[in-house]
Amino acid sequence: DTAVSQTPKYLVTQMGNDKSIKCEQNLGHDTMYWYKQDSKKFLKIMFSYNNKELIINETVPNRFSPKSPDKAHLNLHINSLELGDSAVYFCASSRNRGLAGVAELFFGEGSRLTVL
Amino acid sequence: AQTVTQSQPEMSVQEAETVTLSCTYDTSESDYYLFWYKQPPSRQMILVIRQEAYKQQNATENRFSVNFQKAAKSFSLKISDSQLGDAAMYFCAYSSQGGSEKLVFGKGTKLTVNP
């Protein structure tokens, strides 16, 4: 059973289109994240949700809108896609904030978005 | 803001040899966590090893160990008896205390293992 699963794994689309990437985790975690990995492999956080509440928004353009219908799901919708949005988008989850100890992030396999 | 620096964009090692990947970080916090993640060509991000800053003992996981120098803000990864399957991008990452905060990643080191 995949712990953190993302769909689709690959997405090719035209500039100006709107697309969504879905993420689901079956680990019972309360916190979920979206990270973007650019063409130079640099990973940067975009959003974090804890129990369906947005807790981190790293100055991402408002064309990107995360939605968390429940704590096991965090979807990413992107409007008016631009060439610079081409990247690999990783979903991740971790256990609840405030618990003692290290909260390891569990990552999905990534979704490669190509904007033409 | 915290930053993580990996000064080696690429490294190579012979199979069965040992290699050390460097990582330095900048923070004003006294309690935090450090991680090494591996990303093979399959793209999956896999946790290799983690270290709590309050622990003086260096973490080890089988062939992987770290050299954590808190005063120097250094967190290097040593891979012993390198195997072909160790070839991957390796990312050093920092997390504030509490753990469920954002991870700040370095730019990665591409490790090649030569047979």
Side-chain angles (χ1 to χ4, degrees):
Chain A
D1 251 357
T2 305
V4 181
S5 59
Q6 301 177 224
T7 53
K9 300 272 189 296
Y10 297 92
L11 189 53
V12 181
T13 188
Q14 298 287 332
M15 260 176 34
N17 284 349
D18 304 338
K19 290 293 176 186
S20 292
I21 306 171
K22 295 185 176 181
C23 179
E24 176 182 3
Q25 55 95 3
N26 63 6
L27 297 166
H29 290 162
D30 290 278
T31 307
M32 295 185 72
Y33 310 79
W34 278 109
Y35 280 81
K36 178 181 179 180
Q37 186 174 43
D38 63 23
S39 58
K40 295 183 179 178
K41 300 289 188 182
F42 185 53
L43 271 156
K44 193 172 189 313
I45 191 166
M46 299 174 69
F47 301 104
S48 174
Y49 271 73
N50 180 260
N51 275 322
K52 303 192 296 178
E53 281 190 42
L54 180 67
I55 54 173
I56 294 176
N57 182 343
E58 287 285 307
T59 60
V60 177
N62 56 16
R63 296 183 296 103
F64 290 78
S65 52
K67 284 187 172 51
S68 183
D70 55 62
K71 72 175 192 178
H73 295 84
L74 180 61
N75 304 322
L76 183 65
H77 187 77
I78 315 170
N79 290 327
S80 303
L81 278 158
E82 300 177 356
L83 293 177
D85 297 333
S86 295
V88 179
Y89 292 86
F90 284 94
C91 178
S93 72
S94 67
R95 58 181 166 79
N96 203 10
R97 301 179 71 186
L99 293 175
V102 179
E104 174 187 348
L105 261 65
F106 291 80
F107 284 84
E109 293 180 338
S111 297
R112 180 179 293 279
L113 172 65
T114 302
V115 182
L116 303 175
Chain B
Q2 294 85 14
T3 58
V4 177
T5 302
Q6 293 179 249
S7 59
Q8 307 152 316
E10 296 189 29
M11 291 283 284
S12 64
V13 63
Q14 289 297 125
E15 200 176 358
E17 297 293 308
T18 295
V19 64
T20 299
L21 308 184
S22 301
C23 173
T24 58
Y25 56 94
D26 188 26
T27 184
S28 58
E29 298 173 335
S30 58
D31 290 323
Y32 48 85
Y33 303 99
L34 297 164
F35 306 82
W36 277 98
Y37 275 86
K38 169 185 177 181
Q39 186 180 39
S42 67
R43 223 168 56 198
Q44 181 81 49
M45 293 288 289
I46 302 163
L47 179 67
V48 174
I49 199 164
R50 59 191 174 206
Q51 174 83 41
E52 294 93 324
Y54 64 85
K55 289 187 177 178
Q56 293 185 338
Q57 188 173 7
N58 289 325
T60 62
E61 287 286 342
N62 301 314
R63 297 183 296 108
F64 298 87
S65 61
V66 298
N67 183 2
F68 174 49
Q69 302 287 329
K70 191 172 183 180
K73 296 180 183 173
S74 171
F75 183 61
S76 60
L77 174 69
K78 185 170 86 170
I79 307 174
S80 304
D81 186 25
S82 297
Q83 300 176 359
L84 295 177
D86 295 333
M89 285 288 291
Y90 285 82
F91 293 95
C92 180
Y94 172 103
S95 175
S96 296
Q97 184 185 20
S100 293
E101 301 284 348
K102 63 182 182 181
L103 280 180
V104 177
F105 284 91
K107 295 192 174 182
T109 297
K110 183 180 179 181
L111 178 66
T112 301
V113 181
N114 300 310

